Amino acid sequence: MAVSKGQNGAQVAQNNLEIFSGWAAAQSHDDFIQIINRGKLNRRDIAAACGFGTSVFSQNKNVRAALKKLEDRLRADGVLPPIAVKATDKESKQYDNSSRKIAKLASHNGNLERENIELKAKVKLLEAKLERFCELNETLAEMGFMQR
């Protein structure tokens, strides 16, 4: 909401607080459920309903406090989900960047094992062919037919 002629910033802030308080009082639990986004009330929807910008929630400390109080009350009533407690630094799991490396190496290892099995099968096939031709070569040598 733009500053009207004859109103200073404090008066606009007070006016926005009154508009927000009136809007919040007029809403039911079902109305609040409709505007929940990520466990909080959707600021854009509230601002549109009240007729001011979303910047009011960050710039007007009274509106910000009233919104927090409203959300706390709605959490107590079970309309909003409870706030998730963040783990402390000691409890949080450290990111293990070696797990990606290990997965890549495991994949590479599987590929190498598959290739090794294929090559062993090929070697056995070629050894069998070589054995057949060695016997043929010996037979020809015994008969006196040597290839040059």
Side-chain angles (χ1 to χ4, degrees):
M1 174 177 175
V3 176
S4 301
K5 200 168 205 175
Q7 285 188 334
N8 64 21
Q11 290 170 334
V12 171
Q14 184 61 34
N15 188 26
N16 286 340
L17 178 61
E18 290 171 5
I19 291 171
F20 174 76
S21 298
W23 172 85
Q27 303 302 309
S28 67
H29 286 309
D30 292 332
D31 295 330
F32 288 123
I33 289 172
Q34 297 299 315
I35 60 170
I36 293 175
N37 183 24
R38 296 185 181 183
K40 298 189 302 186
L41 296 176
N42 190 331
R43 272 55 172 167
R44 285 186 184 172
D45 291 345
I46 297 171
C50 293
F52 49 72
T54 56
S55 61
V56 169
F57 298 116
S58 61
Q59 295 173 357
N60 189 331
K61 63 181 178 182
N62 294 329
V63 173
R64 184 174 50 234
L67 178 62
K68 181 173 179 0
K69 186 177 176 182
L70 173 64
E71 285 184 335
D72 290 342
R73 182 175 57 86
L74 291 173
R75 279 194 179 78
D77 292 344
V79 176
L80 287 176
I83 296 175
V85 178
K86 291 185 179 180
T88 61
D89 290 340
K90 292 179 181 178
E91 293 175 355
S92 65
K93 183 179 177 185
Q94 294 293 327
Y95 176 71
D96 185 15
N97 60 358
S98 64
S99 63
R100 196 169 128 212
K101 235 182 214 180
I102 290 171
K104 189 175 179 182
L105 287 174
S107 172
H108 185 67
N109 188 22
N111 291 339
L112 289 176
E113 286 178 358
R114 187 176 345 102
E115 184 181 355
N116 189 17
I117 291 170
E118 290 173 1
L119 290 175
K120 281 183 179 181
K122 198 172 193 178
V123 165
K124 282 188 178 188
L125 180 67
L126 291 174
E127 284 177 345
K129 282 185 179 181
L130 179 64
E131 187 177 327
R132 236 181 54 209
F133 287 119
C134 283
E135 290 176 8
L136 180 61
N137 193 24
E138 288 176 12
T139 305
L140 288 174
E142 288 175 4
M143 296 174 65
F145 299 111
M146 291 298 284
Q147 293 182 351
R148 294 184 187 208

